[in-house]
Amino acid sequence: LWSGGAVFLHAESSWQADDSVNPDVGSLLPANFDVTMPTPNESEKLALPELYLVQGFPANLLALAGKVDWAGLADTNVFANNERTQFSYTGLVNNPILGAFAPYTSLGAAVAWAPGDHNLTAFALQSNGDATSSGFDNFDGDYTFGGQYQFSPVIGGNLPGNYRFIFGYSTKDIPQFDIDPRQLIGQLIGVTPVAEKSDNYTVLVNFDQYIWIESGSLAAYKKRLEASGYPGIGRHHLPPDGIGIFGRAGWAPKDRNVIDQFYSFGIGGYGMLSPGRDNDQWGIGWTGTHISSDLRDDTDLLGIDLNSFEHAVEAFYNFQVTPAAHLSLNAQVID
């Protein structure tokens, strides 16, 4: 309808969410992240979590405004970011530290500058929000501000990668340790101890890097990006066939966050494991989620024992049955 503009809509529903495997596993982070959306532990007939406008401008500028899943947009990863076709464990979809800064979902705006291999994004969003409301009643003074720098080199002429550095700051008043409702920690410990400070901040890093790629696959991928017109916005397009590694890490103050450190690493790919199955996906990953020592000290006084780390290993294989239907086999070990 207008030059350089696009509207993105994302609708979803859920059934029998309260009968999911998550409570039976007993992990601090849900084993099935998808079932926590659009509303944790509740079935929704239909919700419209995301509705936003993207507008392209000269000089490689893009602007975005609306209701967005900001954690999924900022912390994207080619091999570990889509709970529907990749990993299911929460820590291998997004960095869980982001839960204290970006709800699912909220109103906000972002501006991105993407000259060549570099991408610089600044964003501002509501610190409170949910997938089933418009968000216009959440302008309450609690906001998250931040930025992301992304470097996307092509190593050796044919091995693309992405390296991201993210900073976030929240003005949200935190009288208690902030626990994202998409995480199970609050339900498991049953209490929310008092935090010492409010203003919150975090520093995150994230990377994905191909280590082998099928001949000709990169050229076909670049053509898909050029045809889309929006290479830096939205969920990633189907990447080149090949194998790559990925990782995430993050840090936040221990005196106001449940999760103050997070680490993950893994290997994944598109196609390559079975001849003729170029649209299949697969991956193996590990995560380590560190629970704040301040929180553990408080819960110890209440007779609740929390381990310092939750470790998880997950492997999956996603079969493309048809272009519109996929089937995943998934195995997890969580300690």
Side-chain angles (χ1 to χ4, degrees):
L1 299 177
W2 63 88
S3 177
V7 176
F8 288 78
L9 300 102
H10 167 208
E12 64 184 342
S13 56
S14 61
W15 290 270
Q16 303 298 321
D18 53 348
D19 292 332
S20 78
V21 71
N22 289 337
D24 298 326
V25 175
S27 56
L28 298 179
L29 298 182
N32 184 347
F33 187 56
D34 196 30
V35 81
T36 69
M37 299 173 287
T39 305
N41 303 316
E42 293 185 19
S43 297
E44 300 284 354
K45 292 182 178 180
L46 185 65
L48 189 67
E50 294 186 283
L51 172 57
Y52 59 95
L53 168 70
V54 175
Q55 178 66 53
F57 296 98
N60 300 304
L61 287 173
L62 287 171
L64 179 154
K67 194 112 184 298
V68 183
D69 174 15
W70 295 99
L73 194 64
D75 189 38
T76 187
N77 193 288
V78 170
F79 302 107
N81 191 224
N82 190 330
E83 68 280 356
R84 293 178 292 279
T85 59
Q86 297 175 331
F87 296 98
S88 294
Y89 178 73
T90 299
L92 287 165
V93 179
N94 278 127
N95 192 321
I97 290 177
L98 283 170
F101 297 83
Y104 183 78
T105 54
S106 66
L107 289 174
V111 177
W113 180 52
D117 295 338
H118 304 270
N119 185 312
L120 186 62
T121 304
F123 51 85
L125 58 136
Q126 297 169 333
S127 297
N128 300 304
D130 61 75
T132 59
S133 65
S134 67
F136 288 103
D137 56 348
N138 288 328
F139 290 102
D140 52 9
D142 293 337
Y143 301 103
T144 293
F145 305 94
Q148 173 179 280
Y149 169 70
Q150 176 175 312
F151 177 50
S152 302
V154 179
I155 298 175
N158 70 336
L159 296 176
N162 299 285
Y163 299 83
R164 306 169 187 89
F165 302 87
I166 306 168
F167 170 78
Y169 169 79
S170 176
T171 64
K172 185 176 181 180
D173 187 22
I174 309 177
Q176 298 175 323
F177 281 85
D178 201 15
I179 301 177
D180 190 315
R182 289 172 289 172
Q183 300 166 2
L184 298 176
I185 303 172
Q187 298 178 38
L188 291 174
I189 66 176
V191 295
T192 308
V194 176
E196 296 180 6
K197 298 180 180 180
S198 55
D199 294 334
N200 204 5
Y201 58 91
T202 185
V203 177
L204 313 172
V205 294
N206 169 342
F207 81 92
D208 54 75
Q209 176 65 58
Y210 274 89
I211 57 176
W212 185 87
I213 197 167
E214 185 179 26
S215 176
S217 185
L218 181 59
Y221 173 61
K222 289 182 177 179
K223 288 183 179 179
R224 292 196 295 270
L225 289 182
E226 292 172 358
S228 74
Y230 295 96
I233 295 295
R235 303 302 186 269
H236 63 265
H237 304 267
L238 188 63
D241 293 337
I243 300 172
I245 57 175
F246 67 88
R248 288 183 171 96
W251 302 268
K254 66 179 182 177
D255 56 3
R256 66 205 82 172
N257 290 281
V258 174
I259 301 171
D260 63 346
Q261 299 175 47
F262 176 79
Y263 310 93
S264 70
F265 183 79
I267 185 170
Y270 293 80
M272 312 321 304
L273 291 188
S274 300
R277 305 290 308 174
D278 291 345
N279 293 326
D280 289 357
Q281 300 180 46
W282 58 273
I284 302 173
W286 164 86
T287 74
T289 305
H290 187 263
I291 306 302
S292 161
S293 60
D294 285 16
L295 174 68
R296 286 185 283 113
D297 290 344
D298 287 351
T299 54
D300 282 345
L301 297 175
L302 299 172
I304 301 170
D305 185 23
L306 290 175
N307 291 334
S308 58
F309 266 98
E310 175 171 282
H311 297 277
V313 176
E314 178 179 358
F316 79 91
Y317 193 96
N318 178 266
F319 298 88
Q320 185 193 60
V321 181
T322 73
H326 291 247
L327 174 67
S328 282
L329 300 179
N330 178 287
Q332 300 180 27
V333 176
I334 304 172
D335 179 21

